[in-house]
Amino acid sequence: MTEYVVRFLVGGAVVSAFAMLGDVLRPKSFAGLFGAAPSVALATLGIAIYQHGAAYAGSQSLSMMAGAIALAVYSVVVCHLLVRARMQALPATALSLVVWLTAAFGLWSLAGAQT
């Protein structure tokens, strides 16, 4: 239970800091970049370092980066299917899930997947 309280407090503080940074930056479209995901990732890595050590947190950060790259690939494919191929949203996103899964698991295995 203590881990969840620490994650809540640290995550909340970092979310607030990122929100203030996003509020200061121009254009306002950058504010979304500094939302909850980076702060939750930082809080999770901090807890991982504390509980399991730097090596474990390093492997977790590689997995996070692989997931971010896979999401970017998925987003590009969806945009391409929506704009260039003029597909509707549901088929484009459903078809792109295969691309996302392939990219995510491929990068995860390259990053040295641990179970």
Side-chain angles (χ1 to χ4, degrees):
M1 187 68 169
T2 305
E3 176 184 344
Y4 293 117
V5 172
V6 169
R7 187 175 294 194
F8 174 77
L9 294 174
V10 171
V14 178
V15 165
S16 298
F18 274 111
M20 287 187 290
L21 180 64
D23 195 36
V24 171
L25 293 176
R26 299 282 188 259
K28 287 296 180 189
S29 61
F30 284 134
L33 294 173
F34 299 105
S39 55
V40 171
L42 288 174
T44 301
L45 285 176
I47 292 170
I49 289 171
Y50 177 74
Q51 288 185 339
H52 303 287
Y56 177 80
S59 70
Q60 293 299 309
S61 65
L62 286 175
S63 296
M64 287 180 189
M65 288 187 285
I69 292 169
L71 179 63
V73 169
Y74 168 82
S75 300
V76 168
V77 171
V78 168
C79 288
H80 181 75
L81 291 175
L82 290 174
V83 174
R84 300 206 182 222
R86 301 207 184 272
M87 289 181 74
Q88 292 190 4
L90 183 59
T93 54
L95 185 62
S96 298
L97 281 176
V98 175
V99 173
W100 177 77
L101 288 170
T102 303
F105 285 112
L107 290 170
W108 187 51
S109 67
L110 287 176
Q114 296 179 0
T115 56

